[in-house]
mmCIF file of all heavy atoms in Angstrom:
data_model
loop_
_atom_site.group_PDB
_atom_site.id
_atom_site.type_symbol
_atom_site.label_atom_id
_atom_site.label_comp_id
_atom_site.label_asym_id
_atom_site.label_seq_id
_atom_site.Cartn_x
_atom_site.Cartn_y
_atom_site.Cartn_z
ATOM 1 N N GLN U 283 -2.869 21.078 -5.175
ATOM 2 C CA GLN U 283 -3.291 21.994 -6.272
ATOM 3 C C GLN U 283 -4.372 21.281 -7.132
ATOM 4 O O GLN U 283 -4.312 20.103 -7.360
ATOM 5 C CB GLN U 283 -2.065 22.212 -7.236
ATOM 6 C CG GLN U 283 -0.992 22.918 -6.623
ATOM 7 C CD GLN U 283 0.205 22.994 -7.709
ATOM 8 O OE1 GLN U 283 0.593 22.062 -8.257
ATOM 9 N NE2 GLN U 283 0.767 24.221 -7.766
ATOM 10 N N LYS U 284 -5.408 22.082 -7.456
ATOM 11 C CA LYS U 284 -6.489 21.611 -8.343
ATOM 12 C C LYS U 284 -5.985 21.796 -9.843
ATOM 13 O O LYS U 284 -5.676 22.979 -10.124
ATOM 14 C CB LYS U 284 -7.772 22.300 -8.075
ATOM 15 C CG LYS U 284 -8.475 21.970 -6.857
ATOM 16 C CD LYS U 284 -9.813 22.656 -6.794
ATOM 17 C CE LYS U 284 -10.488 22.282 -5.479
ATOM 18 N NZ LYS U 284 -11.817 22.911 -5.382
ATOM 19 N N ILE U 285 -5.941 20.759 -10.516
ATOM 20 C CA ILE U 285 -5.553 20.836 -11.938
ATOM 21 C C ILE U 285 -6.680 20.059 -12.686
ATOM 22 O O ILE U 285 -6.719 18.803 -12.536
ATOM 23 C CB ILE U 285 -4.200 20.257 -12.150
ATOM 24 C CG1 ILE U 285 -3.079 21.005 -11.375
ATOM 25 C CG2 ILE U 285 -3.841 20.206 -13.652
ATOM 26 C CD1 ILE U 285 -1.733 20.383 -11.492
ATOM 27 N N ASP U 286 -7.429 20.776 -13.476
ATOM 28 C CA ASP U 286 -8.569 20.155 -14.255
ATOM 29 C C ASP U 286 -9.478 19.454 -13.326
ATOM 30 O O ASP U 286 -9.907 20.093 -12.359
ATOM 31 C CB ASP U 286 -8.043 19.265 -15.350
ATOM 32 C CG ASP U 286 -7.291 20.030 -16.499
ATOM 33 O OD1 ASP U 286 -7.703 21.135 -16.705
ATOM 34 O OD2 ASP U 286 -6.328 19.416 -17.032
ATOM 35 N N MET U 287 -9.709 18.197 -13.402
ATOM 36 C CA MET U 287 -10.630 17.399 -12.536
ATOM 37 C C MET U 287 -9.863 16.543 -11.547
ATOM 38 O O MET U 287 -10.400 15.610 -11.102
ATOM 39 C CB MET U 287 -11.481 16.556 -13.471
ATOM 40 C CG MET U 287 -12.462 17.355 -14.361
ATOM 41 S SD MET U 287 -13.530 18.506 -13.536
ATOM 42 C CE MET U 287 -14.568 17.346 -12.692
ATOM 43 N N GLU U 288 -8.638 16.946 -11.235
ATOM 44 C CA GLU U 288 -7.886 16.210 -10.284
ATOM 45 C C GLU U 288 -7.161 17.097 -9.234
ATOM 46 O O GLU U 288 -7.004 18.390 -9.468
ATOM 47 C CB GLU U 288 -6.719 15.480 -11.068
ATOM 48 C CG GLU U 288 -7.114 14.397 -11.904
ATOM 49 C CD GLU U 288 -5.930 13.646 -12.507
ATOM 50 O OE1 GLU U 288 -4.953 14.330 -12.888
ATOM 51 O OE2 GLU U 288 -5.919 12.456 -12.519
ATOM 52 N N TYR U 289 -6.735 16.517 -8.122
ATOM 53 C CA TYR U 289 -5.834 17.156 -7.193
ATOM 54 C C TYR U 289 -4.454 16.647 -7.565
ATOM 55 O O TYR U 289 -4.254 15.456 -7.716
ATOM 56 C CB TYR U 289 -6.184 16.732 -5.771
ATOM 57 C CG TYR U 289 -7.429 17.300 -5.192
ATOM 58 C CD1 TYR U 289 -8.413 16.465 -4.764
ATOM 59 C CD2 TYR U 289 -7.601 18.731 -5.116
ATOM 60 C CE1 TYR U 289 -9.656 16.958 -4.318
ATOM 61 C CE2 TYR U 289 -8.771 19.245 -4.678
ATOM 62 C CZ TYR U 289 -9.791 18.375 -4.166
ATOM 63 O OH TYR U 289 -10.964 18.851 -3.672
ATOM 64 N N TYR U 290 -3.441 17.547 -7.547
ATOM 65 C CA TYR U 290 -2.042 17.101 -7.625
ATOM 66 C C TYR U 290 -1.572 17.350 -6.245
ATOM 67 O O TYR U 290 -1.436 18.515 -5.744
ATOM 68 C CB TYR U 290 -1.331 17.918 -8.641
ATOM 69 C CG TYR U 290 0.154 17.606 -8.776
ATOM 70 C CD1 TYR U 290 0.539 16.301 -9.128
ATOM 71 C CD2 TYR U 290 1.051 18.630 -8.553
ATOM 72 C CE1 TYR U 290 1.903 16.058 -9.202
ATOM 73 C CE2 TYR U 290 2.471 18.321 -8.629
ATOM 74 C CZ TYR U 290 2.803 17.010 -8.976
ATOM 75 O OH TYR U 290 4.232 16.708 -9.061
ATOM 76 N N ILE U 291 -1.144 16.259 -5.574
ATOM 77 C CA ILE U 291 -0.612 16.324 -4.238
ATOM 78 C C ILE U 291 0.870 16.067 -4.172
ATOM 79 O O ILE U 291 1.384 15.149 -4.785
ATOM 80 C CB ILE U 291 -1.367 15.295 -3.404
ATOM 81 C CG1 ILE U 291 -2.835 15.604 -3.441
ATOM 82 C CG2 ILE U 291 -0.777 15.301 -1.997
ATOM 83 C CD1 ILE U 291 -3.727 14.564 -2.750
ATOM 84 N N THR U 292 1.551 17.044 -3.518
ATOM 85 C CA THR U 292 3.015 16.888 -3.300
ATOM 86 C C THR U 292 3.339 16.964 -1.792
ATOM 87 O O THR U 292 2.563 17.631 -1.077
ATOM 88 C CB THR U 292 3.814 17.951 -4.060
ATOM 89 O OG1 THR U 292 3.348 19.351 -3.605
ATOM 90 C CG2 THR U 292 3.579 17.859 -5.590
ATOM 91 N N LEU U 293 4.337 16.258 -1.461
ATOM 92 C CA LEU U 293 4.717 16.293 -0.023
ATOM 93 C C LEU U 293 6.235 16.757 0.076
ATOM 94 O O LEU U 293 7.040 16.394 -0.687
ATOM 95 C CB LEU U 293 4.564 14.879 0.546
ATOM 96 C CG LEU U 293 3.257 14.236 0.457
ATOM 97 C CD1 LEU U 293 3.303 12.860 -0.173
ATOM 98 C CD2 LEU U 293 2.673 14.192 1.845
ATOM 99 N N ASP U 294 6.442 17.733 0.975
ATOM 100 C CA ASP U 294 7.746 18.140 1.202
ATOM 101 C C ASP U 294 8.388 17.097 2.110
ATOM 102 O O ASP U 294 8.269 17.226 3.370
ATOM 103 C CB ASP U 294 7.704 19.508 1.851
ATOM 104 C CG ASP U 294 9.079 20.108 2.008
ATOM 105 O OD1 ASP U 294 10.064 19.652 1.451
ATOM 106 O OD2 ASP U 294 9.178 21.024 2.899
ATOM 107 N N HIS U 295 8.954 16.107 1.575
ATOM 108 C CA HIS U 295 9.450 15.006 2.410
ATOM 109 C C HIS U 295 10.670 14.374 1.681
ATOM 110 O O HIS U 295 10.758 14.163 0.509
ATOM 111 C CB HIS U 295 8.332 13.933 2.477
ATOM 112 C CG HIS U 295 8.636 12.938 3.563
ATOM 113 N ND1 HIS U 295 9.527 11.861 3.276
ATOM 114 C CD2 HIS U 295 8.249 12.794 4.844
ATOM 115 C CE1 HIS U 295 9.596 11.142 4.371
ATOM 116 N NE2 HIS U 295 8.818 11.692 5.398
ATOM 117 N N GLU U 296 11.560 13.950 2.505
ATOM 118 C CA GLU U 296 12.789 13.192 2.103
ATOM 119 C C GLU U 296 12.246 11.876 1.499
ATOM 120 O O GLU U 296 11.303 11.228 1.997
ATOM 121 C CB GLU U 296 13.620 12.939 3.271
ATOM 122 C CG GLU U 296 14.838 12.056 3.028
ATOM 123 C CD GLU U 296 15.590 11.855 4.330
ATOM 124 O OE1 GLU U 296 15.420 12.574 5.352
ATOM 125 O OE2 GLU U 296 16.435 10.980 4.400
#
Side-chain angles (χ1 to χ4, degrees):
Q283 295 177 313
K284 285 185 182 179
I285 299 175
D286 295 325
M287 298 301 291
E288 292 184 318
Y289 290 120
Y290 178 60
I291 300 174
T292 57
L293 299 130
D294 183 20
H295 193 281
E296 175 181 345

